[in-house]
């Protein structure tokens, strides 16, 4: 079982899931694209016929969104988070396409065979109700699709400590350092 | 003000004891769980007080009138049809508690008329029932057609028509601004022509349009606005509204919630039946903001084949264990998850 630590959580991927800690290099190998930022999403894994990008965020990154009273500022804050996810997505996609790193060759091969682009899982470290998650996904998808019309976002899904997919991985929170 | 309702063996209710909020009461539940039965029963009782008060306050008259009111609003052949057939329990018992008074009545499956066990006149007598269908577009001759037996529909539609058939009255500034807020969204005003018995919508730059030319959602909102404007929905009224969301765009939910919370803050007790997510959420936020006590009543069956419904009441919607509206949203989340993982 592959075990990775991120945002004070231990992600243990099931044996049949091929997972790669994508953020381990700390810096992107594709620095010339300034807009894309310089760090890829946290995990990369294969499941069935899809490649998944998984970004883990502590709820504290988003808490401000619910606290900010000014709707314009709140919107700007949300946009910033969306841009951050987008930048990581582009960065990861670029690394995957162009990298010579042997560790990701399998994913690279898969990517060339697949017509689909990778799917993004945004893992929010906290317990949020499914109803709120659904609205969050709707909002995120809408923002991403509207903001970046040229980007093919196949789909984005938000998971939490309560609602993760335990067929792929289990997650333990708290005592991890 | 209705404080509490106790029921035994009435339609889908075997046993219930519900305490209401003096402000907002929101009833939710899947189809066929008795939501409309509940508000029709409450309305029929309050309406009987209103009518009998104008005629004769005697116990016998009230029993007679209430029997007819219930029969006409439930559209059943006899009052006994509303009594649940349960082995060992032959009677239906209803107790309704007001601020200081109580009404108690009984009937059985064989009853032709209900039996009043306890009755005293009460101060609250003004009730409005807004049903799922709007009547502004079919208003012309509606009352006379109903009375001539040409229209067979629940009596509450006729009651509503009578209350609508009055023109605008002088309003204080608060009520004017309540109406104005909604009219600003509609960008139109509801006009009643008493002579023609017809409703129109007045739009800036266009003039008066026949009400049939505007959407049903606007007609429903127009109904509420006209009742406030003509003074029939006043501060001490009790408002029953069955599924406001029917034909209404969710964009209206926020302003409808603001309007309802403002009305209840001014003394109108509200009973609302809804299936709408946006409405329950906006009402929760508005009630919290205005510090108003809101009660969410969830009616549910453990199994679809069950004869009787269960219920739970909470002041916070999120504390309800049975919430068919949120459950549907969760179901969409699960569907989306399946599609995402290609399951």
């Amino acid at each position: 079982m592959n075990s990775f630590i991120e945002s004070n959580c231990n992600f243990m991927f099931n044996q049949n899931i091929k997972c790669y800690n994508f953020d381990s290099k700390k810096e992107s190998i594709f620095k010339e694209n300034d807009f894309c930022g310089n760090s890829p999403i946290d995990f990369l894994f294969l499941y069935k016929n899809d490649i998944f990008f998984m970004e883990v965020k502590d709820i504290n990154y988003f808490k401000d969104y619910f606290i900010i009273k000014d709707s314009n500022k709140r919107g700007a804050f949300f946009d910033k988070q969306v841009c951050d996810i987008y930048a990581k997505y582009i960065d990861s996609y670029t690394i995957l396409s162009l990298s010579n790193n042997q560790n990701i060759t399998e994913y690279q091969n898969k990517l060339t065979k697949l017509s689909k682009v990778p799917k993004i899982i945004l893992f929010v470290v906290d317990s949020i109700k499914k109803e709120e998650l659904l609205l969050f996904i709707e909002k995120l998808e809408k923002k991403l699709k509207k903001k970046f019309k040229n980007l093919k976002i196949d789909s984005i899904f938000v998971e939490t400590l309560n609602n993760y997919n335990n067929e792929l991985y289990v997650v333990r929170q708290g005592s991890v350092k | 003000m209705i404080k509490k309702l106790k029921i035994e063996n009435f339609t889908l209710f075997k046993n219930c004891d519900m305490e209401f909020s003096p402000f907002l009461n929101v009833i939710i539940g899947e189809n066929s769980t008795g939501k409309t039965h509940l508000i029709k029963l409450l309305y029929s009782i309050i309406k009987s007080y209103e009518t009998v008060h104008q005629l004769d306050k005697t116990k016998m008259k009230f029993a007679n009138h209430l029997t007819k009111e219930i029969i006409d609003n439930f559209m059943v052949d006899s009052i006994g049809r509303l009594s649940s057939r349960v082995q060992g329990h032959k009677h239906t018992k209803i107790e309704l508690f007001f601020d200081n008074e109580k009404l108690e009545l009984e009937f059985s499956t064989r009853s032709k008329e209900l039996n009043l066990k306890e009755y005293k006149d009460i101060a609250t007598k003004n009730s409005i029932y807004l049903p799922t269908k709007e009547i502004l577009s079919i208003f012309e001759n509606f009352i006379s057609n109903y009375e001539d037996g040409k229209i067979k529909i629940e009596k509450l539609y006729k009651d509503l028509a009578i209350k609508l058939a009055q023109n605008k009255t002088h309003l204080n500034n608060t009520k004017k601004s309540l109406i104005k807020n909604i009219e600003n969204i509609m960008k139109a005003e509801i006009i009643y022509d008493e002579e023609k018995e017809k409703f129109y919508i007045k739009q800036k730059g266009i003039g008066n349009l026949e009400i049939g030319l505007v959407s049903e959602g606007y007609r429903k909102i127009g109904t509420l606005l006209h009742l406030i404007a003509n003074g029939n929905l006043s501060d001490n009224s009790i408002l029953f509204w069955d599924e406001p969301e029917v034909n209404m765009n969710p964009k209206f939910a926020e302003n409808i919630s603001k309007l309802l919370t403002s009305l209840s803050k001014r003394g109108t007790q509200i009973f609302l039946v809804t299936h709408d997510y946006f409405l329950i959420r906006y009402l929760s936020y508005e009630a919290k903001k205005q510090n108003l006590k809101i009660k969410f009543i969830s009616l549910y069956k453990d199994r679809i084949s069950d004869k009787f419904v269960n219920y739970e009441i909470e002041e916070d919607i999120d504390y309800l264990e049975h919430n068919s509206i949120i459950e549907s949203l969760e179901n969409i989340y699960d569907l989306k998850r399946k599609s995402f993982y290609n399951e």
Side-chain angles (χ1 to χ4, degrees), chain A residues 90-151:
Chain A
I90 286 291
D91 219 15
S92 307
Y93 192 75
T94 316
I95 294 168
L96 197 58
S97 310
L98 303 176
S99 177
N100 293 319
N101 188 330
Q102 282 186 337
N103 285 327
I104 55 174
T105 310
E106 192 179 354
Y107 300 93
Q108 218 165 26
N109 293 339
K110 198 90 181 169
L111 187 71
T112 52
K113 284 176 195 165
L114 289 172
S115 57
K116 287 185 213 166
V117 291
K119 293 183 173 185
I120 314 171
I121 299 173
L122 177 66
F123 191 96
V124 178
V125 183
D126 207 328
S127 301
I128 309 175
K129 288 176 288 181
K130 279 184 182 178
E131 160 211 357
E132 286 168 345
L133 280 174
L134 180 70
L135 296 174
F136 191 68
I137 296 166
E138 297 283 344
K139 196 162 186 165
L140 202 59
E141 267 187 350
K142 190 181 158 199
K143 277 270 181 208
L144 278 168
K145 284 177 181 169
K146 199 173 167 185
K147 251 185 159 34
F148 314 108
K149 280 182 181 161
N150 298 326
L151 175 74

Side-chain angles (χ1 to χ4, degrees), chain A residues 50 119-120 129-131 135 138 141 155 157-159 163-165, chain B residues 277 281 318 326 329-330 332-334 336-337 339-343:
Chain A
D50 287 305
K119 293 183 173 185
I120 314 171
K129 288 176 288 181
K130 279 184 182 178
E131 160 211 357
L135 296 174
E138 297 283 344
E141 267 187 350
S155 47
F157 201 71
V158 184
E159 298 272 32
N163 300 310
Y164 65 88
N165 187 332
Chain B
Y277 172 78
R281 277 290 174 224
D318 293 321
I326 306 284
L329 271 184
E330 288 183 349
I332 297 176
Y333 177 86
D334 292 336
K336 208 157 177 143
R337 163 187 259 258
S339 150
F340 181 79
Y341 290 112
N342 294 327
E343 283 168 0

Side-chain angles (χ1 to χ4, degrees), chain B residues 157-307:
Chain B
Y157 280 91
K158 187 198 84 172
D159 297 341
L160 177 62
I162 290 171
K163 297 217 164 168
L164 282 166
Q166 287 166 35
N167 235 321
K168 291 178 186 178
T169 179
H170 179 72
L171 294 174
N172 60 31
N173 288 339
T174 320
K175 286 213 166 160
K176 268 185 199 164
S177 77
L178 279 181
I179 296 171
K180 212 77 206 153
N181 283 343
I182 306 276
E183 283 182 344
N184 284 343
I185 307 167
M186 292 166 66
K187 293 181 178 58
E189 192 185 334
I190 298 289
I191 307 284
Y192 177 57
D193 187 325
E194 248 176 286
E195 212 172 294
K196 290 183 183 167
E197 272 189 57
K198 279 175 101 170
F199 279 90
Y200 294 88
I201 194 154
K202 189 178 171 185
Q203 281 184 318
K204 225 177 177 180
I206 298 176
N208 288 1
L209 285 173
E210 286 82 353
I211 201 80
L213 295 174
V214 299
S215 74
E216 278 203 40
Y218 273 28
R219 288 180 224 155
K220 286 190 94 172
I221 297 169
T223 304
L224 183 68
L225 295 187
H226 188 71
L227 289 167
I228 300 171
N230 73 12
N232 269 311
L233 187 53
S234 57
D235 294 349
N236 61 353
S237 302
I238 301 180
L239 171 67
F240 301 91
W241 198 352
D242 199 356
E243 299 182 21
E245 68 274 12
V246 176
N247 299 320
M248 195 113 64
N249 190 285
K251 278 207 165 184
F252 270 115
E254 186 179 3
N255 284 80
I256 292 290
S257 303
K258 280 181 182 167
L259 179 71
L260 290 174
T261 42
S262 300
L263 284 172
S264 65
K265 203 174 182 180
R266 293 175 56 83
T268 305
Q269 192 181 20
I270 296 171
F271 291 84
L272 196 90
V273 167
T274 185
H275 294 282
D276 190 64
Y277 172 78
F278 301 100
L279 206 52
I280 58 167
R281 277 290 174 224
Y282 279 124
L283 279 170
S284 292
Y285 293 134
E286 282 303 321
K288 197 174 171 187
K289 209 164 88 183
Q290 300 202 36
N291 210 15
L292 287 177
K293 198 175 187 177
I294 184 167
K295 287 213 175 182
F296 292 96
I297 301 157
S298 171
L299 304 178
Y300 63 95
K301 285 180 179 175
D302 287 327
R303 285 171 300 274
I304 209 157
S305 56
D306 283 356
K307 187 175 178 182

Side-chain angles (χ1 to χ4, degrees), chain B residues 105-165:
Chain B
L105 59 94
E106 274 187 357
F107 58 90
S108 72
T109 51
R110 292 180 182 178
S111 296
K112 294 271 182 247
E113 189 160 299
L114 55 83
N115 178 23
L116 271 189
K117 305 281 278 183
E118 197 172 335
Y119 162 74
K120 262 185 192 170
D121 195 23
I122 56 156
T124 305
K125 296 169 200 81
N126 188 25
S127 55
I128 301 274
Y129 189 110
L130 298 180
T132 49
K133 299 180 197 86
E134 62 82 26
I135 55 167
L136 293 191
S137 55
I138 50 164
F139 198 78
E140 202 177 352
N141 300 325
F142 183 85
I143 300 168
S144 54
N145 283 339
Y146 179 90
E147 280 171 352
D148 293 345
K150 290 176 186 164
I151 300 173
K152 299 283 181 202
I153 198 164
E154 291 105 311
K155 179 181 165 281
L156 51 92
Y157 280 91
K158 187 198 84 172
D159 297 341
L160 177 62
I162 290 171
K163 297 217 164 168
L164 282 166

